[in-house]
Amino acid sequence: DGGITQSPKYLFRKEGQNVTLSCEQNLNHDAMYWYRQDPGQGLRLIYYSQIVNDFQKGDIAEGYSVSREKKESFPLTVTSAQKNPTAFYLCASTYGTGSNEQFFGPGTRLTVL
Amino acid sequence: AQKVTQAQTEISVVEKEDVTLDCVYETRDTTYYLFWYKQPPSGELVFLIRRNSFDEQNEISGRYSWNFQKSTSSFNFTITASQVVDSAVYFCALSEDTGGFKTIFGAGTRLFVKA
């Protein structure tokens, strides 16, 4: 089945530690996205990538880093520089440009202890 | 500037009631795209509909219908005869032609449908 997988579903981290969230898609989509969702708020764009080896900052990129070495994969690293990392993280992909609908993964809930 | 406003934070209805979720957008582009997504308790967003700015025709899909009015910059979503399974958070989103690959999401409306 085609789709987007994110792992792990739940992640706990101690303050000061970096952590990497996985996102893989087998939809052959060029564009991939990372969003952050906080309670009662919409989705805020962290980073996005249109093609392999290229990515752009979204609205809240500080404290995060990404890589796009393969078309299928777009991992997100939450660094210790992110002051308030506890949130729900969603990965998405789309074909073509932003004019098309996005397909979402099941999300990773990150909690900083 | 690009903006999506969903003024209704939470809505609670009883099963079989009709309910309308409001969405108001702001854009300077003449070409843009509007979307609705559903986020059930599991967390994964599910795409419901996409509309481009040149197509104001209303759409109906089963119990779901959408009313797009450029004159009021609104793209409202109505669920007819709501069911418990409709309980979810619903997001309206906007993508501008000049925005490239970026999409802006509203804050979402949480719908509770009680049996």
Side-chain angles (χ1 to χ4, degrees):
Chain A
D1 280 20
I4 300 180
T5 57
Q6 290 185 244
S7 60
K9 189 171 179 64
Y10 299 95
L11 188 57
F12 297 90
R13 186 195 97 173
K14 292 182 180 179
E15 277 194 45
Q17 288 182 337
N18 292 355
V19 63
T20 297
L21 281 59
S22 169
C23 177
E24 304 278 332
Q25 56 100 358
N26 61 3
L27 300 167
N28 200 32
H29 287 169
D30 289 309
M32 296 186 73
Y33 305 79
W34 274 105
Y35 294 94
R36 170 179 171 142
Q37 185 179 18
D38 293 285
Q41 296 190 34
L43 278 64
R44 292 185 290 168
L45 183 63
I46 304 172
Y47 269 98
Y48 63 104
S49 168
Q50 301 172 31
I51 56 173
V52 174
N53 293 323
D54 186 53
F55 48 82
Q56 286 78 40
K57 292 182 179 179
D59 301 317
I60 56 167
E62 186 175 350
Y64 300 97
S65 66
V66 294
S67 63
R68 188 86 186 276
E69 297 177 1
K70 298 186 300 181
K71 188 175 185 178
E72 304 79 20
S73 179
F74 191 41
L76 173 74
T77 296
V78 185
T79 74
S80 56
Q82 169 50 235
K83 298 305 178 189
N84 185 21
T86 295
F88 188 54
Y89 292 87
L90 285 157
C91 180
S93 70
T94 190
Y95 52 96
T97 69
S99 63
N100 299 312
E101 65 270 24
Q102 295 182 18
F103 294 75
F104 285 83
T108 292
R109 190 167 298 279
L110 173 64
T111 302
V112 174
L113 304 174
Chain B
Q2 196 181 13
K3 187 178 179 181
V4 176
T5 301
Q6 295 181 256
Q8 303 151 308
T9 305
E10 290 186 1
I11 300 175
S12 184
V13 299
V14 177
E15 211 170 18
K16 298 184 183 177
E17 281 187 33
D18 298 347
V19 59
T20 296
L21 283 63
D22 298 332
C23 174
V24 174
Y25 62 91
E26 293 179 28
T27 179
R28 294 178 182 173
D29 276 23
T30 55
T31 302
Y32 53 89
Y33 305 87
L34 295 163
F35 306 84
W36 276 96
Y37 291 87
K38 174 182 179 180
Q39 185 179 39
S42 61
E44 182 173 338
L45 269 76
V46 177
F47 165 75
L48 295 178
I49 190 171
R50 168 186 179 271
R51 261 288 178 266
N52 73 58
S53 53
F54 299 107
D55 182 4
E56 283 193 79
Q57 191 171 16
N58 292 330
E59 182 158 337
I60 298 175
S61 176
R63 297 183 296 107
Y64 295 172
S65 62
W66 291 269
N67 184 317
F68 176 27
Q69 291 195 340
K70 289 177 73 172
S71 61
T72 56
S73 296
S74 65
F75 186 43
N76 297 336
F77 172 31
T78 297
I79 302 175
T80 303
S82 60
Q83 299 177 2
V84 173
V85 292
D86 295 326
S87 297
V89 181
Y90 292 87
F91 291 97
C92 182
L94 166 70
S95 176
E96 295 174 329
D97 203 40
T98 55
F101 287 73
K102 293 179 69 174
T103 299
I104 299 298
F105 287 80
T109 296
R110 183 177 294 277
L111 174 65
F112 294 99
V113 181
K114 296 178 285 189

